[in-house]
Amino acid sequence: NAGVTQTPKFQVLKTGQSMTLQCAQDMNHEYMSWYRQDPGMGLRLIHYSVGAGITDQGEVPNGYNVSRSTTEDFPLRLLSAAPSQTSVYFCASSYRSGGADTQYFGPGTRLTVL
Amino acid sequence: AQSVSQHNHHVILSEAASLELGCNYSYGGTVNLFWYVQYPGQHLQLLLKYFSGDPLVKGIKGFEAEFIKSKFSFNLRKPSVQWSDTAEYFCAVINTGTASKLTFGTGTRLQVTL
């Protein structure tokens, strides 16, 4: 199993540009989530999904959209990038919903917005 | 709102020194507790977890943690650290009795010197 994969690993955007961060898992996990990691702030939940077709907001959802058309994929879209979105983004999945189970993390995407 | 506190932000130890990293959470009820580790340049991975039973749990690489319900704490310990333990450590908690989501602490950066 590849586990959780993320692309790209690095990305530089200009303010106002849009892009999609890809996340896929091959463990048939129902629960998937996106976090951002900022120095001194730990990991903060952006959006999550409890299954295909079901998504919800986390702690810091503004400026981000998600969709979950399949169990495997959970892309994160930045519609109009802002410097405040410079961060490292991690996708995670788990068997059970709500984060009550072990989270499996992807390798992360380091995003810089100029 | 639930919160997770890691009071040690940066810890520097010499090899063979003993380690204890603090983790406190702010809410009652039934909780699942986790410690995740992020080695330099790598993604987060599970170190150990507590769901129920013996409050002293053992994880990988000689780490252990003790759940003290009366103190709302889940401190991470290792009797003798190695240079390879240099990493960032995150405590995470979820209240399984509510619809709350997994909450991470801000992390503790451990630097082990030779």
Side-chain angles (χ1 to χ4, degrees):
Chain A
N1 288 349
V4 180
T5 58
Q6 290 183 239
T7 56
K9 288 189 176 181
F10 301 95
Q11 184 70 50
V12 178
L13 294 177
K14 295 181 179 178
T15 297
Q17 287 185 313
S18 63
M19 79 159 296
T20 299
L21 280 63
Q22 302 291 345
C23 173
Q25 52 90 11
D26 61 358
M27 298 173 280
N28 202 32
H29 285 167
E30 290 296 325
Y31 185 80
M32 296 186 73
S33 53
W34 276 101
Y35 293 88
R36 58 177 291 173
Q37 183 184 23
D38 301 292
M41 303 189 77
L43 280 79
R44 292 181 292 169
L45 182 64
I46 304 171
H47 285 285
Y48 65 95
S49 169
V50 299
I54 307 170
T55 65
D56 206 345
Q57 296 180 351
E59 181 185 356
V60 288
N62 292 343
Y64 308 94
N65 278 353
V66 291
S67 60
R68 184 99 178 267
S69 56
T70 66
T71 298
E72 294 78 19
D73 300 299
F74 189 44
L76 178 73
R77 283 185 291 278
L78 283 73
L79 299 178
S80 178
S84 60
Q85 294 178 305
T86 293
S87 186
V88 181
Y89 292 85
F90 288 100
C91 178
S93 73
S94 67
Y95 178 65
R96 283 190 287 169
S97 290
D101 205 347
T102 300
Q103 299 293 302
Y104 293 85
F105 286 87
T109 295
R110 186 174 293 273
L111 175 68
T112 301
V113 182
L114 303 175
Chain B
Q2 61 192 42
S3 65
V4 180
S5 298
Q6 292 182 245
H7 302 295
N8 314 105
H9 299 295
H10 188 193
V11 174
I12 303 174
L13 294 173
S14 300
E15 263 201 332
S18 64
L19 169 72
E20 181 160 2
L21 301 182
C23 173
N24 289 88
Y25 59 95
S26 66
Y27 46 94
T30 303
V31 293
N32 285 356
L33 302 140
F34 306 83
W35 276 97
Y36 286 89
V37 60
Q38 186 178 28
Y39 297 104
Q42 298 187 27
H43 56 94
L44 281 89
Q45 56 187 284
L46 182 70
L47 199 56
L48 49 80
K49 62 185 178 184
Y50 171 80
F51 286 0
S52 64
D54 188 343
L56 184 62
V57 294
K58 296 189 184 300
I60 60 172
K61 304 187 178 184
F63 285 91
E64 64 179 32
E66 185 175 12
F67 170 49
I68 303 179
K69 189 173 182 179
S70 61
K71 294 185 178 181
F72 300 91
S73 70
F74 190 54
N75 291 357
L76 181 71
R77 300 195 292 250
K78 186 171 183 178
S80 175
V81 295
Q82 300 175 307
W83 179 80
S84 59
D85 293 325
T86 294
E88 190 153 18
Y89 294 81
F90 294 92
C91 180
V93 183
I94 183 168
N95 184 326
T96 58
T98 70
S100 63
K101 298 293 168 278
L102 187 65
T103 300
F104 283 84
T106 54
T108 296
R109 191 152 69 99
L110 172 64
Q111 185 178 348
V112 180
T113 60
L114 295 172

